Amino acid sequence: MSLVPLSAALRERTRDAHSTSEGAGFMSALLKGERSRDDYVSLVAQHYFVYEALESATDRMRRDPVAARFISDKLTRLPALIADLDFLIGPDWSERIHPLPATAEYVARIEQVGSTWVGGFVAHHYTRYLGDLSGGQHIGRVMQRRFGFDTNGIGFYVFADIADPAAFKDVYRDELDAAPWDDGETERVIAEVLLAYDFNTRLFDDLARAADAAVA
Ligand code: HEM
């Protein structure tokens, strides 16, 4: 077993990938108020495809004893995303949204590891949900102010069943540190988290390109 707990190794070794993702032009512009409501809606739409894949994988992984330690219904985002899209786009939202190329690749990867590899599933689960419980909370508040939403439209960021996100993340990190993975598997999990960050960065880049093409 490695001397460095997995949660600490992940923080350390994904710091640069996190900064790249966080600093992606689309995200920083959205947070600075330099992107439109339509651009925000496009982000919500891409999240829908990602969480549809992630939460289908979650259902398949529920019976695995290691995966089950990370799974909690308190995290489920798909109903909130559907309600947000219904509010933001209207009842025909599902006919009006399409995955961008990076999203399609991200979804394919989640589907692949989500059926075959517990460590890979946990890597994707960690990257999305711990991010949503961290920076996501800030992003939700900024979008709420910027676009004048109440809770309609930003439901994705509201974890109604998690009163204390910091405490929830601490328990999650304890589970990461207790995972029964040898050094080789731990390395593969860290590599998969880096891949997940890369998908998120490319998704932002695709969103920026699509938005710029729409106004050109
Ligand atoms: C503008 C965008 C973002 C901001 C402002 C932001 C901000 C933050 C902050 C402040 C933390 C530390 C929270 C803590 O120590 O408890 C954090 C953690 C985290 N973020 Fe982000 N983030 C952003 C984007 C992203 C993206 C795109 C992802 C990947 C999908 C991501 C994934 C994560 C993860 C997994 C953690 C937990 C790290 C850990 O403690 O293990 N973040 N974020």
Side-chain angles (χ1 to χ4, degrees):
M1 289 296 279
S2 166
L3 292 176
V4 182
L6 175 55
S7 64
L10 271 174
R11 255 204 183 163
E12 187 61 34
R13 290 178 53 190
T14 63
R15 188 167 291 140
D16 289 353
H18 183 273
S19 298
T20 305
S21 222
E22 186 183 358
F26 180 87
M27 220 352 139
S28 47
L30 193 63
L31 285 170
K32 278 191 268 174
E34 295 166 359
R35 288 273 175 199
S36 66
R37 183 185 192 275
D38 281 353
D39 295 338
Y40 171 69
V41 175
S42 303
L43 173 66
V44 180
Q46 300 310 306
H47 279 155
Y48 169 79
F49 296 109
V50 172
Y51 284 81
E52 187 187 42
L54 188 57
E55 293 180 2
S56 302
T58 301
D59 282 339
R60 289 195 293 279
M61 283 284 173
R62 230 173 253 281
R63 284 181 299 277
D64 179 277
V66 174
R69 302 188 68 90
F70 297 92
I71 293 172
S72 164
D73 290 340
K74 294 178 182 172
L75 291 170
T76 309
R77 298 290 83 205
L78 204 55
L81 281 167
I82 290 171
D84 286 344
L85 288 168
D86 199 59
F87 171 76
L88 294 166
I89 301 180
D92 60 345
W93 62 268
S94 67
E95 292 144 44
R96 295 175 52 191
I97 65 170
H98 307 281
L100 290 165
T103 307
E105 281 183 54
Y106 190 6
V107 162
R109 181 67 188 170
I110 293 171
E111 283 172 352
Q112 187 190 6
V113 303
S115 310
T116 54
W117 175 31
V118 172
F121 163 74
V122 172
H124 286 280
H125 192 273
Y126 158 82
T127 310
R128 282 302 338 176
Y129 294 116
L130 254 62
D132 299 335
L133 287 169
S134 306
Q137 296 306 289
H138 168 69
I139 296 167
R141 281 190 295 272
V142 175
M143 295 304 110
Q144 190 170 32
R145 269 201 311 274
R146 161 105 178 93
F147 299 114
F149 297 136
D150 184 5
T151 48
N152 287 331
I154 51 128
F156 168 73
Y157 297 102
V158 179
F159 287 86
D161 298 327
I162 299 181
D164 185 346
F168 190 96
K169 286 189 290 183
D170 282 346
V171 172
Y172 194 103
R173 290 194 192 99
D174 288 345
E175 293 297 349
L176 286 171
D177 296 342
W181 297 325
D182 64 18
D183 287 353
E185 178 64 357
T186 299
E187 282 302 314
R188 283 188 288 276
V189 171
I190 295 172
E192 191 68 22
V193 170
L194 289 169
L195 187 65
Y197 272 113
D198 193 46
F199 280 127
N200 280 282
T201 303
R202 287 168 48 210
L203 197 162
F204 291 145
D205 293 346
D206 275 4
L207 276 165
R209 256 191 301 275
D212 294 344
V215 294

